[in-house]
Structures are given as C-alpha cells and as structure tokens.
Amino acid sequence: MISANGITLRLGKKALFEDVNIKFTEGNCYGLIGANGAGKSTFLKILSGKLEPTNGSIVITPGQRLSVLEQDHFKYDEETVLDTVMMGNARLFEIMREKDAIYMKEDFTDEDGIRASELEAEFATMNGWEAESDAASLLNGLGIETELHSKRMGDLTGSEKVKVLLARALFGNPDILLMDEPTNHLDLAAISWLEEFLINFENTVIVVSHDRYFLNKVCTHIADIDYGKIQLYSGNYDFWYESSQLMIRQMKEQNRKKEEKIKELQEFIQRFSANASKSKQATARKRALEKIELDEIRPSSRKYPYIDFRPEREIGNEVLTVSGLSKTIDGVKVLDNVSFTLGRNDKVAFVGSYELAKTTLFQILMGEMEPDEGTYKWGITTSQTYFPKDNTAEFDSDLVIYDWLQQYSPVKDITYVRGFLGRMLFAGDDGAKKVRVLSGGEKVRCQLSKMMVSGANVLVFDEPTNHLDMESITALNNGMIKFPGVILFSSRDHQIVETTANRIIELLPGGYIDKITTYDEYLASDEMAMKRQIYTASAEESEDD
C-alpha cells in the first residue's frame, strides 16, 4: 500500500495540492486524471519520492518495492537492452553484478566464498535464476525481438526504447507501479499486451494516461485531480464520468430543493413576523433558515476546445484512387504495391505497428514525397488538409498565433481569427504567443485550427492525439465522428479508431490488408490474424533471400 497524508505543494503563491489524503491499496489499478496543469505528473513524482511536498508525507508499506516508468530515453544508452530491463529490480541486479565480480577473481578467498554463498541464497529467494527469461518474455511481449536483447540501448529507435523502459518498470513484479503515459509511442499491439498484463497484475498500479479506452480496460478506480484536491471513485473512466456528472446533477437538485425551502421560509417570516400569535413560529423558521446552506458547486477546471470540421463543398463519388504505390527508404521497402479506392463515405483507419509505412503513404498522398512506383489521383471535387506527425517545420516561425492562423484563413478579419482561437482555448493574450515557443499540446490545437479554417472535405491525420489532453482528445473524437466528408487517419487511441473508422487498412512489411469493418471486429477476426502472419512471414523470407 502507498498513501498520501496531508500532502500540500506550493509553487510560489499557488497551491497545486492542498491537504490531500488518499490511499492506494493492493490489487487495484488507479487512473490518475485531471486537466492539463492539474498536477498529475507532479503527484506521481511526489509519490515516487522524486519531489518533496511543502507539507505532508508519503507512506509505503515496509518492505514493498516501488517501480517507476522512466521518462529519460537516453539514460541507459550504454547498457544492453536485457540489462536495462533487469536493472528495474535494483537489488537483484546489484546481486548479479556482485556475484559476477566475485567469481571472476583470480585470488578467490574464503571470505569471498562466504559472501558468494550469501548472495546466492538471496538471489534464489528473489527468483534470480528466472530473471533473464522473465526480462526476455516482457520484451518479446512488447514487440522487442530476441535479436535486439543483446544490443546497446543507444542503437535502438525511440519507440523501441520506450518499450524497453516499460519492460524495465514491469520487471520483477514490483509491489507498487507508477506509470506516466505508458501508452505514448506504443503501437496498438503493444498497448493491447500491456492492457492484458495490467489486468492480471495483482499489486498496486497508479497510472496517468490520456487514452480513455486504456483507462476503461485496466482501471478499478479513478483518482480525479481538480482544484488541488483528489476525489477517488470506484470503477473505470466511463464509470467516473457518469458518477461525477450524476453527483453534480444531484447537488444541483439538492440546491434547487433548498432554494425552494428558503423561499418558503422567507415568505412565511415576511408574512407573519409582525403577527404576535405567529411570532414563535416565525422565529423558529428564522432559525431553520439560518441552518440551510447551499452546496458549493465549483465548475470543473477542465476545458474542452470546440472542434468542428465543416467542408465548404460536398464531396463527389470519386475521391481517391491509389494504384501500385511502392516506396523504398534507406534500402527498406516501406510500401509494396499498395492499391485502394476511396468512396465518399469512407473513414479509413490505417493501423498496425509499421509506423513509417503509414507516414510515408500520407506524405505521398499529400504531395510531400514521390513514390518509386505507382500513381494516385484525387477526385476533382476533393480538397485535402493534412495533420503531419512531425509539425516542426510548421512552427519554425516568429509569427504570433493570430498571424500564423490568419495566413491560412479565407477570412482575413482579425476578429474572426480571434473568435476562432478563443474556441480552441487561446483566449485573450494567449493568441499573442509566438508559435515557436508553444507547448506540444498548443501546437496540436493550432494545427487543428488550421485544418478547420481550410474548409476541406478530406481530412488526413497522422497520429493527431500526441500531446493532447483528455478533453481535447474527446473534442477531436467528436469532431471526427460528426465530419460529413472523408477521413484517412492513423491513431494509437483505440476509442478514436473504433468510433470513427468504417474501414481498416493495415500496412504490413509484406503487403497490406483492406477490410470494411469496425476496428474491434477487425482485431477479433481470425481471418485477419492469419493474413498478418502470412504477410509478415513472406517479408521475412524476402529479407533472408
């Protein structure tokens, strides 16, 4: 168990947390949620001991081991992948290193023998003989193939490092597991594996995530941070939402009844206070009136942007024809003879772990890259707007937000642009920020604003939820569902894929699968699983040749 007792954290004059008391018990998974800036990551740092609170204390059951998902992707670049994972259990790894050092001594003494014996006993107690196989199993489950286990961390890609650090946090069955955005940069297969792991995990988990589907799948409780307090709810994210909304409705209803009672008492007092025969009753009602207190209903600190994509013209029947597209990058065939035709009602999710293939396809379709072979043709009634995965070039500018958006807006009136940005949570002086210094989430909201003002009838998204908070993701999800045009998109957010897409295309190393279906039906299909295996095996055979 881990508990926070009277935790207060002040940053200057502002209190981020005020006298927070909460217990996290064994066998439960707690989703820590709240608006951007509410202090979710900060609270995890306090729980882990990396940040000292102004007042209060964190208490962990004696003897329990706490594990934290590391955020520094370069910290272990000189270590091997397997060692990095096993370092997640610091004491076990220390024993392994000390044992190896003793056994490598040329002048092995009696004292060394005694010490080695002590270490071997502790090693066996900690199930050390299974350490390497357990670490390898975690890595394989997350999609890190066995041939990478002996490589240096510095030789891995960014997404591979994320998976290794996650395996490191999970290694050795920690008693308390703290994770901040564990699904970031994970492909959908790895997220699915992690969900199953946490569902079967018997100890304490506290996780911050913007992935609603993930929180619904793994959480037994939700800890909601709002206005410096943490309110605990039983159930998953959807249950929290319904419960919190129900609580507000009940408080409003109670206040309404109290207000009616107040009015009734006030009318009686006003009518009979001067009447000698009724004076005692009037006095009693005055005392009753003084005891009635209305519940304080503070509005949530959460803010939802207004995301609404409205096409200027209706799309025709001919939308996009792709014929035999192929592309090789750095000697690797990323796209291999990809062909498909889109209709006016298609909302297509491009899924799978082959991230580079999806990004490459989008860049080709948006004219940012030339294919090696094949052609594509947009219909004459279409207009496209694009959300790139890497938006660095978009914001390499000294323009302020107002001017940046105005250059893309068909309406050049600054009042129109200001009103538009206000709906996207850039109110007042926020619009005068230079785009170069914006946070990741602010840049995404700017990018979405650009797409909205375009009036395009075809939306192309490459991982649009990166850097967005829960409220913005929900608003984006609703905007995509309502959009009457065509959408091509990739996303790690399961709920967005499931609720938006009516067609799934999975790009694989040896080909692709194209199916008109929902995402959940696609994942459950044995036929699709078999096709994936065939394409992957075919690609591996080609590499061997």
Side-chain angles (χ1 to χ4, degrees):
M1 183 186 75
I2 181 171
S3 63
N5 301 327
I7 293 295
T8 296
L9 180 68
R10 296 189 180 279
L11 304 175
K13 294 182 179 180
K14 179 186 177 183
L16 191 59
F17 298 108
E18 191 74 56
D19 194 27
V20 169
N21 295 281
I22 188 169
K23 289 182 180 180
F24 303 99
T25 57
E26 186 176 346
N28 293 314
C29 179
Y30 299 85
L32 193 60
I33 65 171
N36 265 6
K40 301 182 292 294
S41 297
T42 301
F43 191 70
L44 281 189
K45 288 178 182 177
I46 293 173
L47 290 175
S48 69
K50 292 182 178 180
L51 182 64
E52 284 291 325
T54 308
N55 291 307
S57 61
I58 300 299
V59 178
I60 298 176
T61 301
Q64 291 200 337
R65 184 170 69 86
L66 182 145
S67 181
V68 181
L69 175 60
E70 293 276 0
Q71 300 294 323
D72 185 351
H73 297 172
F74 304 99
K75 185 175 180 179
Y76 303 99
D77 275 359
E78 298 306 315
E79 304 290 343
T80 67
V81 168
L82 204 60
D83 280 353
T84 299
V85 175
M86 291 189 293
M87 288 166 70
N89 189 335
R91 178 55 188 157
L92 178 60
F93 194 72
E94 182 184 330
I95 292 171
M96 294 169 69
R97 285 283 171 91
E98 189 177 350
K99 274 186 9 171
D100 290 344
I102 290 173
Y103 291 139
M104 289 179 67
K105 284 186 174 181
E106 293 183 3
D107 53 342
F108 191 87
T109 66
D110 290 342
E111 289 77 9
D112 290 331
I114 293 170
R115 180 57 180 160
S117 177
E118 293 171 347
L119 292 171
E120 290 290 4
E122 189 176 356
F123 184 71
T125 301
M126 298 180 73
N127 203 28
W129 296 111
E130 307 293 329
E132 288 198 11
S133 61
D134 288 346
S137 178
L138 288 170
L139 289 166
N140 289 334
L142 286 164
I144 302 297
E145 301 299 333
T146 304
E147 56 266 24
L148 295 178
H149 295 185
S150 59
K151 288 186 176 293
R152 289 172 56 258
M153 283 286 286
D155 296 330
L156 269 56
T157 65
S159 60
E160 289 169 340
K161 285 182 180 181
V162 169
K163 293 179 179 180
V164 176
L165 292 177
L166 180 55
R168 180 185 184 280
L170 302 177
F171 177 73
N173 194 37
D175 300 290
I176 301 162
L177 179 59
L178 307 182
M179 297 190 294
D180 193 352
E181 298 294 353
T183 61
N184 276 5
H185 309 294
L186 292 186
D187 54 68
L188 290 166
I191 293 173
S192 179
W193 180 91
L194 178 60
E195 288 167 354
E196 291 303 315
F197 181 95
L198 294 178
I199 287 169
N200 295 310
F201 189 70
E202 296 180 350
N203 297 330
T204 305
V205 181
I206 306 170
V207 57
V208 172
S209 177
H210 290 139
D211 188 328
R212 298 158 297 165
Y213 181 89
F214 177 78
L215 292 176
N216 277 331
K217 197 83 182 285
V218 305
C219 289
T220 60
H221 295 75
I222 294 294
D224 178 31
I225 302 178
D226 213 352
Y227 291 109
K229 300 292 184 182
I230 301 182
Q231 180 72 39
L232 192 62
Y233 297 80
S234 295
N236 61 15
Y237 179 80
D238 282 349
F239 190 82
W240 159 79
Y241 183 80
E242 293 298 328
S243 298
S244 60
Q245 295 304 303
L246 176 62
M247 184 182 298
I248 292 171
R249 289 196 297 270
Q250 288 175 338
M251 290 175 69
K252 287 181 177 178
E253 178 63 18
Q254 288 171 0
N255 275 357
R256 186 187 65 79
K257 290 180 179 178
K258 288 179 181 179
E259 286 169 349
E260 289 177 355
K261 186 64 176 177
I262 288 170
K263 185 178 179 182
E264 177 188 323
L265 292 171
Q266 287 174 334
E267 288 176 348
F268 185 93
I269 294 166
Q270 185 178 7
R271 184 177 177 185
F272 296 110
S273 58
N275 187 322
S277 64
K278 297 279 188 178
S279 62
K280 286 187 178 180
Q281 294 179 32
T283 301
R285 281 165 171 74
K286 280 183 181 179
R287 287 197 293 268
L289 180 60
E290 290 169 357
K291 293 179 181 180
I292 298 176
E293 293 183 5
L294 296 177
D295 295 321
E296 181 185 10
I297 305 175
R298 298 182 71 179
S300 173
S301 58
R302 292 175 171 83
K303 295 181 180 179
Y304 290 82
Y306 178 73
I307 298 178
D308 187 20
F309 304 101
R310 296 186 181 183
E312 289 184 355
R313 67 182 294 187
E314 188 175 351
I315 201 165
N317 291 324
E318 294 183 6
V319 177
L320 173 66
T321 301
V322 174
S323 302
L325 282 188
S326 295
K327 182 69 179 181
T328 298
I329 298 176
D330 296 330
V332 177
K333 198 158 195 177
V334 178
L335 297 175
D336 188 2
N337 196 30
V338 175
S339 301
F340 58 86
T341 301
L342 295 189
R344 62 184 301 172
N345 296 315
D346 281 337
K347 292 185 176 179
V348 187
F350 290 80
V351 304
S353 59
Y354 209 9
E355 300 290 325
L356 181 58
K358 290 179 278 188
T359 296
T360 300
L361 177 63
F362 292 152
Q363 288 177 332
I364 289 173
L365 295 179
M366 297 310 297
E368 294 186 358
M369 182 184 293
E370 290 294 324
D372 296 334
E373 299 174 22
T375 61
Y376 68 93
K377 183 180 179 182
W378 290 101
I380 59 173
T381 64
T382 66
S383 55
Q384 307 85 36
T385 185
Y386 176 43
F387 184 104
K389 182 183 290 186
D390 182 2
N391 59 25
T392 305
E394 291 271 359
F395 298 97
D396 185 15
S397 166
D398 289 322
L399 292 174
V400 299
I401 298 176
Y402 293 134
D403 295 336
W404 182 88
L405 183 60
Q406 191 172 24
Q407 66 183 333
Y408 301 111
S409 174
V411 179
K412 299 303 180 184
D413 179 26
I414 190 64
T415 304
Y416 171 80
V417 173
R418 283 178 180 269
F420 198 93
L421 286 172
R423 295 194 295 272
M424 291 300 289
L425 309 183
F426 293 107
D429 293 339
D430 289 342
K433 288 183 182 178
K434 288 189 176 182
V435 295
R436 190 187 299 279
V437 300
L438 296 180
S439 69
E442 288 172 328
K443 288 179 179 178
V444 171
R445 282 189 276 123
C446 282
Q447 194 76 38
L448 293 172
S449 299
K450 174 187 171 183
M451 295 180 77
M452 282 188 278
V453 300
S454 73
N457 54 26
V458 178
L459 308 179
V460 182
F461 295 101
D462 193 358
E463 299 294 347
T465 62
N466 289 351
H467 306 294
L468 286 183
D469 58 22
M470 193 90 75
E471 293 71 43
S472 297
I473 291 173
T474 300
L476 173 61
N477 195 173
N478 292 336
M480 293 173 72
I481 291 170
K482 290 190 302 180
F483 181 64
V486 170
I487 304 179
L488 296 81
F489 72 102
S490 66
S491 176
R492 295 185 182 90
D493 189 292
H494 187 114
Q495 193 160 332
I496 282 184
V497 179
E498 170 60 19
T499 57
T500 303
N502 54 23
R503 181 175 175 183
I504 304 295
I505 295 180
E506 182 171 4
L507 300 173
L508 295 158
Y512 63 95
I513 302 171
D514 185 353
K515 191 77 172 177
I516 297 175
T517 183
T518 67
Y519 184 55
D520 283 346
E521 289 171 346
Y522 179 81
L523 291 177
S525 169
D526 292 336
E527 176 192 357
M528 296 305 106
M530 189 174 297
K531 282 187 176 181
R532 273 184 227 117
Q533 292 175 356
I534 292 171
Y535 279 128
T536 303
S538 174
E540 289 172 352
E541 288 175 7
S542 299
E543 289 177 7
D544 292 340
D545 293 342

